Amino acid sequence: RTDGATFSVSVINLLKAIIGSGILAFPYCFAQVGLVPALILLVGGALLQAYTADLLVQCVQIMRDKDDLNGSVSFKSLAENSLPGEHGKMVIEAIVGVFTLGCSISYLVVMGDLMPQIAEDAISLFGFKESKESLSIIWEERSGAEKAWIIFLSVCIGFPLCCLKSVKSLQFTSMLGNVGIGAIVVILILYATNTIDAHPDPTTEPLEMFAMTASGLRVFSIFIFGFSCNQSLPGIITEMKDSSYRTVRAMVNVSLAITALVYLLIGSTGYMVYGSLVNADLLQSLPLGLVASLARLAIVLNVIGSFPLYQHSTRSSFSLILYQHGPDSLGDYEYYAL
């Protein structure tokens, strides 16, 4: 394709499909198993995902060579060649659609949970304390601040982004989300190097190389599912300018390697600062103030970047279920209604 997404844009979009708000749990995961097992689990999770992604990429390449698909591949078209009967194909597409829809909804909940605290901090930092009570709708839980933010973000930000018709068009939001990830990494490195004060709960205890706790087994799934990206791969591959097997495999491997590095930096630095006392939600361990507010804002930016990518997959799945063809073939009314 001459108008498709470049290699770098595809990597950026896949990174956003992989990395979500779950990055906040990695310092806790490191504390539960120790540095060495955490590193082994990270590498193992990345290799397992690389293997399953390679199988999926091979399937996509085989299907794309078929003229009747015009280069476009979905989980439904893959199922048509592997599962008997029409119902099996629809079940696969429904599973993908429900999964990505659930992820999208969870991201709205995360944003609704974080924005009231960001708003409250902003009111205090920018000298609007005298107007704080009159602005309770945007920061006070009992005034419905979470619901207000969820409605505002879904209508004013989420819906316009979901209306974009190609993954390539989402490169800006993906980049915005990756900036949020970078900000979290920088903040934790500054804490770990004592450049900024990690008060109130910095640790002085030595880091454990092997520290398997009673909760250690429970965090194994976070290491594995932290690399999940198969639900977004067919759409990203379809829109790539160079979708040869070698290029696609390189794109996936680069994305997984960057993801593993990000998880390693966040997990190790967060564990280095707070030790075994680190909260399962890293934001709960950060001190109150400007830096913590910036960290919350960085997570919101990260989630905003992920939301439309998951919605793109959701729309594709439900379009195939309801209309028997992809969203690109829908009229404007059906497309925006979906």
Side-chain angles (χ1 to χ4, degrees), residues 72-77 80 86 89-90 92-98 100-101 162 164-165 310-338:
S72 178
V73 178
S74 65
F75 280 98
K76 178 176 178 292
S77 61
E80 285 176 352
E86 187 66 26
K89 307 161 193 174
M90 290 302 179
I92 295 297
E93 206 63 58
I95 290 172
V96 175
V98 171
T100 52
L101 178 62
C162 292
L164 298 175
K165 294 190 175 183
Y310 276 101
Q311 280 296 296
H312 187 274
S313 298
T314 303
R315 181 172 57 242
S316 178
S317 295
F318 283 104
S319 174
L320 289 165
I321 293 172
L322 297 175
Y323 301 105
Q324 306 302 310
H325 50 72
D328 292 341
S329 303
L330 298 177
D332 288 342
Y333 176 78
E334 291 85 359
Y335 180 89
Y336 292 118
L338 189 60

Side-chain angles (χ1 to χ4, degrees), residues 161-172:
L161 291 177
C162 292
C163 289
L164 298 175
K165 294 190 175 183
S166 70
V167 174
K168 182 182 177 182
S169 302
L170 298 174
Q171 58 182 303
F172 172 75

Side-chain angles (χ1 to χ4, degrees), residues 42 185 227 255-268:
L42 276 180
V185 172
F227 293 94
S255 301
L256 291 174
I258 295 174
T259 300
L261 179 60
V262 169
Y263 289 162
L264 177 61
L265 286 172
I266 291 178
S268 59

Side-chain angles (χ1 to χ4, degrees), residues 51-304:
Y51 175 69
T52 57
D54 182 62
L55 295 178
L56 182 58
V57 169
Q58 291 185 50
C59 293
V60 170
Q61 293 299 325
I62 293 171
M63 294 301 298
R64 290 198 69 186
D65 291 337
K66 294 191 174 184
D67 294 334
D68 59 327
L69 290 175
N70 295 319
S72 178
V73 178
S74 65
F75 280 98
K76 178 176 178 292
S77 61
L78 291 172
E80 285 176 352
N81 287 265
S82 57
L83 294 176
E86 187 66 26
H87 294 297
K89 307 161 193 174
M90 290 302 179
V91 167
I92 295 297
E93 206 63 58
I95 290 172
V96 175
V98 171
F99 171 76
T100 52
L101 178 62
C103 290
S104 302
I105 294 173
S106 69
Y107 283 151
L108 283 176
V109 173
V110 169
M111 288 190 284
D113 186 52
L114 292 176
M115 286 304 299
Q117 184 62 57
I118 294 173
E120 184 176 10
D121 292 342
I123 290 172
S124 300
L125 288 170
F126 294 106
F128 295 106
K129 293 183 178 180
E130 64 279 359
S131 304
K132 190 173 182 179
E133 289 304 319
S134 61
L135 296 172
S136 61
I137 186 61
I138 66 172
W139 67 268
E140 193 173 34
E141 183 177 353
R142 65 184 182 184
S143 298
E146 290 185 9
K147 294 179 181 178
W149 278 112
I150 289 174
I151 294 172
F152 171 79
L153 292 170
S154 59
V155 173
C156 298
I157 297 179
F159 179 72
L161 291 177
C162 292
C163 289
L164 298 175
K165 294 190 175 183
S166 70
V167 174
K168 182 182 177 182
S169 302
L170 298 174
Q171 58 182 303
F172 172 75
T173 58
S174 295
M175 181 61 74
L176 189 66
N178 290 330
V179 168
I181 296 169
I184 290 290
V185 172
V186 170
I187 289 171
L188 286 176
I189 290 176
L190 292 176
Y191 277 136
T193 57
N194 292 321
T195 304
I196 54 179
D197 186 13
H199 181 78
D201 294 316
T203 185
T204 56
E205 64 185 39
L207 302 184
E208 297 287 345
M209 294 296 105
F210 298 88
M212 189 63 67
T213 67
S215 301
L217 292 177
R218 292 191 299 181
V219 303
F220 275 31
S221 61
I222 297 177
F223 286 100
I224 303 302
F225 289 107
F227 293 94
S228 177
C229 63
N230 289 339
Q231 68 282 351
S232 301
L233 266 180
I236 291 176
I237 294 172
T238 298
E239 296 198 12
M240 289 183 68
K241 183 180 296 185
D242 177 7
S243 58
S244 63
Y245 172 73
R246 183 176 179 181
T247 302
V248 173
R249 186 175 180 182
M251 183 269 294
V252 172
N253 289 340
V254 168
S255 301
L256 291 174
I258 295 174
T259 300
L261 179 60
V262 169
Y263 289 162
L264 177 61
L265 286 172
I266 291 178
S268 59
T269 52
Y271 180 34
M272 187 182 303
V273 175
Y274 296 107
S276 60
L277 299 177
V278 67
N279 198 286
D281 179 0
L282 178 63
L283 294 180
Q284 299 298 320
S285 294
L286 296 180
L288 299 177
L290 178 60
V291 175
S293 295
L294 290 176
R296 292 186 180 91
L297 183 60
I299 291 298
V300 170
L301 292 178
N302 176 34
V303 171
I304 287 175

